[in-house]
PDB file of all heavy atoms in Angstrom:
ATOM      1  N   PHE A  27      38.465-148.520 115.640  1.00  0.00           N
ATOM      2  CA  PHE A  27      39.256-148.661 116.857  1.00  0.00           C
ATOM      3  C   PHE A  27      39.442-150.126 117.263  1.00  0.00           C
ATOM      4  O   PHE A  27      40.557-150.561 117.539  1.00  0.00           O
ATOM      5  CB  PHE A  27      38.623-147.882 118.023  1.00  0.00           C
ATOM      6  CG  PHE A  27      39.478-147.888 119.238  1.00  0.00           C
ATOM      7  CD1 PHE A  27      40.515-146.990 119.354  1.00  0.00           C
ATOM      8  CD2 PHE A  27      39.283-148.811 120.252  1.00  0.00           C
ATOM      9  CE1 PHE A  27      41.343-147.007 120.464  1.00  0.00           C
ATOM     10  CE2 PHE A  27      40.094-148.843 121.354  1.00  0.00           C
ATOM     11  CZ  PHE A  27      41.124-147.924 121.468  1.00  0.00           C
ATOM     12  N   SER A  28      38.384-150.883 117.293  1.00  0.00           N
ATOM     13  CA  SER A  28      38.471-152.285 117.728  1.00  0.00           C
ATOM     14  C   SER A  28      39.384-153.092 116.820  1.00  0.00           C
ATOM     15  O   SER A  28      40.185-153.907 117.291  1.00  0.00           O
ATOM     16  CB  SER A  28      37.093-152.932 117.777  1.00  0.00           C
ATOM     17  OG  SER A  28      36.314-152.318 118.771  1.00  0.00           O
ATOM     18  N   ASP A  29      39.291-152.873 115.518  1.00  0.00           N
ATOM     19  CA  ASP A  29      40.142-153.598 114.577  1.00  0.00           C
ATOM     20  C   ASP A  29      41.616-153.265 114.781  1.00  0.00           C
ATOM     21  O   ASP A  29      42.473-154.154 114.764  1.00  0.00           O
ATOM     22  CB  ASP A  29      39.738-153.284 113.134  1.00  0.00           C
ATOM     23  CG  ASP A  29      38.324-153.751 112.808  1.00  0.00           C
ATOM     24  OD1 ASP A  29      37.910-154.774 113.375  1.00  0.00           O
ATOM     25  OD2 ASP A  29      37.665-153.088 112.001  1.00  0.00           O
ATOM     26  N   VAL A  30      41.912-151.987 114.989  1.00  0.00           N
ATOM     27  CA  VAL A  30      43.295-151.566 115.222  1.00  0.00           C
ATOM     28  C   VAL A  30      43.818-152.171 116.517  1.00  0.00           C
ATOM     29  O   VAL A  30      44.939-152.695 116.567  1.00  0.00           O
ATOM     30  CB  VAL A  30      43.403-150.020 115.238  1.00  0.00           C
ATOM     31  CG1 VAL A  30      44.778-149.573 115.709  1.00  0.00           C
ATOM     32  CG2 VAL A  30      43.109-149.454 113.865  1.00  0.00           C
ATOM     33  N   MET A  31      43.012-152.153 117.564  1.00  0.00           N
ATOM     34  CA  MET A  31      43.458-152.706 118.847  1.00  0.00           C
ATOM     35  C   MET A  31      43.668-154.211 118.775  1.00  0.00           C
ATOM     36  O   MET A  31      44.629-154.736 119.349  1.00  0.00           O
ATOM     37  CB  MET A  31      42.459-152.376 119.951  1.00  0.00           C
ATOM     38  CG  MET A  31      42.524-150.944 120.414  1.00  0.00           C
ATOM     39  SD  MET A  31      44.141-150.478 121.062  1.00  0.00           S
ATOM     40  CE  MET A  31      44.153-151.322 122.612  1.00  0.00           C
ATOM     41  N   VAL A  32      42.810-154.913 118.058  1.00  0.00           N
ATOM     42  CA  VAL A  32      42.982-156.362 117.918  1.00  0.00           C
ATOM     43  C   VAL A  32      44.293-156.666 117.206  1.00  0.00           C
ATOM     44  O   VAL A  32      45.045-157.559 117.618  1.00  0.00           O
ATOM     45  CB  VAL A  32      41.776-156.984 117.178  1.00  0.00           C
ATOM     46  CG1 VAL A  32      42.059-158.402 116.734  1.00  0.00           C
ATOM     47  CG2 VAL A  32      40.542-156.930 118.061  1.00  0.00           C
ATOM     48  N   GLU A  33      44.607-155.931 116.168  1.00  0.00           N
ATOM     49  CA  GLU A  33      45.871-156.152 115.454  1.00  0.00           C
ATOM     50  C   GLU A  33      47.072-155.816 116.335  1.00  0.00           C
ATOM     51  O   GLU A  33      48.066-156.541 116.342  1.00  0.00           O
ATOM     52  CB  GLU A  33      45.923-155.325 114.170  1.00  0.00           C
ATOM     53  CG  GLU A  33      45.089-155.891 113.063  1.00  0.00           C
ATOM     54  CD  GLU A  33      45.512-157.300 112.673  1.00  0.00           C
ATOM     55  OE1 GLU A  33      46.728-157.574 112.540  1.00  0.00           O
ATOM     56  OE2 GLU A  33      44.624-158.140 112.495  1.00  0.00           O
ATOM     57  N   LEU A  34      46.983-154.729 117.080  1.00  0.00           N
ATOM     58  CA  LEU A  34      48.092-154.381 117.983  1.00  0.00           C
ATOM     59  C   LEU A  34      48.248-155.418 119.083  1.00  0.00           C
ATOM     60  O   LEU A  34      49.375-155.754 119.467  1.00  0.00           O
ATOM     61  CB  LEU A  34      47.883-152.993 118.587  1.00  0.00           C
ATOM     62  CG  LEU A  34      48.207-151.835 117.672  1.00  0.00           C
ATOM     63  CD1 LEU A  34      47.844-150.513 118.346  1.00  0.00           C
ATOM     64  CD2 LEU A  34      49.668-151.832 117.289  1.00  0.00           C
ATOM     65  N   MET A  35      47.144-155.928 119.595  1.00  0.00           N
ATOM     66  CA  MET A  35      47.226-156.964 120.622  1.00  0.00           C
ATOM     67  C   MET A  35      47.881-158.224 120.062  1.00  0.00           C
ATOM     68  O   MET A  35      48.629-158.896 120.752  1.00  0.00           O
ATOM     69  CB  MET A  35      45.826-157.304 121.151  1.00  0.00           C
ATOM     70  CG  MET A  35      45.177-156.193 121.948  1.00  0.00           C
ATOM     71  SD  MET A  35      46.072-155.795 123.442  1.00  0.00           S
ATOM     72  CE  MET A  35      45.883-157.304 124.360  1.00  0.00           C
ATOM     73  N   TYR A  36      47.611-158.529 118.807  1.00  0.00           N
ATOM     74  CA  TYR A  36      48.218-159.690 118.162  1.00  0.00           C
ATOM     75  C   TYR A  36      49.741-159.523 118.069  1.00  0.00           C
ATOM     76  O   TYR A  36      50.494-160.466 118.266  1.00  0.00           O
ATOM     77  CB  TYR A  36      47.613-159.885 116.769  1.00  0.00           C
ATOM     78  CG  TYR A  36      48.250-160.993 115.983  1.00  0.00           C
ATOM     79  CD1 TYR A  36      47.991-162.327 116.293  1.00  0.00           C
ATOM     80  CD2 TYR A  36      49.106-160.711 114.931  1.00  0.00           C
ATOM     81  CE1 TYR A  36      48.581-163.350 115.575  1.00  0.00           C
ATOM     82  CE2 TYR A  36      49.697-161.726 114.207  1.00  0.00           C
ATOM     83  CZ  TYR A  36      49.432-163.041 114.531  1.00  0.00           C
ATOM     84  OH  TYR A  36      50.024-164.049 113.814  1.00  0.00           O
ATOM     85  N   HIS A  37      50.189-158.301 117.779  1.00  0.00           N
ATOM     86  CA  HIS A  37      51.615-158.023 117.622  1.00  0.00           C
ATOM     87  C   HIS A  37      52.284-157.582 118.921  1.00  0.00           C
ATOM     88  O   HIS A  37      53.502-157.392 118.940  1.00  0.00           O
ATOM     89  CB  HIS A  37      51.836-156.946 116.559  1.00  0.00           C
ATOM     90  CG  HIS A  37      51.466-157.394 115.182  1.00  0.00           C
ATOM     91  ND1 HIS A  37      52.235-158.268 114.458  1.00  0.00           N
ATOM     92  CD2 HIS A  37      50.395-157.116 114.406  1.00  0.00           C
ATOM     93  CE1 HIS A  37      51.672-158.499 113.293  1.00  0.00           C
ATOM     94  NE2 HIS A  37      50.543-157.815 113.234  1.00  0.00           N
ATOM     95  N   PHE A  63      40.303-152.762 126.805  1.00  0.00           N
ATOM     96  CA  PHE A  63      41.536-153.453 126.433  1.00  0.00           C
ATOM     97  C   PHE A  63      42.637-153.338 127.488  1.00  0.00           C
ATOM     98  O   PHE A  63      43.667-153.992 127.368  1.00  0.00           O
ATOM     99  CB  PHE A  63      42.067-152.895 125.109  1.00  0.00           C
ATOM    100  CG  PHE A  63      41.135-153.116 123.952  1.00  0.00           C
ATOM    101  CD1 PHE A  63      40.240-152.126 123.573  1.00  0.00           C
ATOM    102  CD2 PHE A  63      41.161-154.301 123.242  1.00  0.00           C
ATOM    103  CE1 PHE A  63      39.380-152.329 122.508  1.00  0.00           C
ATOM    104  CE2 PHE A  63      40.306-154.509 122.173  1.00  0.00           C
ATOM    105  CZ  PHE A  63      39.416-153.524 121.808  1.00  0.00           C
TER     106      PHE A  63
END
Side-chain angles (χ1 to χ4, degrees):
F27 186 82
S28 294
D29 296 328
V30 170
M31 285 301 287
V32 167
E33 284 300 316
L34 282 175
M35 292 297 295
Y36 176 74
H37 293 286
F63 297 95

